[in-house]
């Protein structure tokens, strides 16, 4: 938390997810009809996959984002060794 993702920044991923729902964008043309209908997107990157979703609507000539979300995968918080005395084993 508080750091950019080494492979794909979350802010960029959310913008990509929103762009996937706006007709006329390159991202819109690249994603499937199913992804557009669901509002969900799976972005593959060198470190894995990000699951994202966005809810948008158009009012007049402007697009508005109502909600955007991203799922993070668990990451290793600690690595270490435990030594147990033979007396306790």
């Amino acid at each position: 938390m508080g750091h950019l993702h080494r492979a794909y920044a979350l802010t960029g991923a959310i913008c990509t997810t929103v762009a996937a729902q706006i007709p006329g964008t390159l991202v819109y043309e690249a994603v499937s009809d199913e992804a557009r209908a669901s509002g969900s997107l799976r972005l593959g990157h060198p470190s894995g996959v990000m699951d994202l979703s966005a809810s948008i609507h158009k009012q007049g000539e402007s697009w508005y984002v109502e909600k955007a979300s991203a799922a993070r995968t668990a990451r290793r918080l600690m690595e270490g060794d435990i030594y147990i005395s033979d007396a306790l084993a």
Side-chain angles (χ1 to χ4, degrees):
M1 301 300 289
H3 298 285
L4 290 177
H5 192 280
R6 286 174 278 190
Y8 202 98
L10 187 57
T11 52
I14 289 172
C15 291
T16 302
T17 304
V18 170
Q21 298 180 45
I22 300 176
T25 65
L26 293 174
V27 183
Y28 181 91
E29 300 300 325
V31 300
S32 68
D33 292 336
E34 290 177 41
R36 283 194 293 271
S38 71
S40 298
L41 194 63
R42 288 178 52 91
L43 290 177
H45 55 80
S47 297
V49 176
M50 285 185 181
D51 292 310
L52 301 118
S53 65
S55 175
I56 68 170
H57 71 275
K58 187 173 183 180
Q59 187 173 354
E61 293 297 315
S62 300
W63 289 95
Y64 293 90
V65 179
E66 296 172 1
K67 180 175 107 174
S69 63
R72 291 178 53 121
T73 55
R75 66 188 189 282
R76 185 185 337 239
L77 297 176
M78 187 195 107
E79 182 176 331
D81 297 312
I82 299 174
Y83 297 97
I84 300 175
S85 167
D86 287 339
L88 298 175

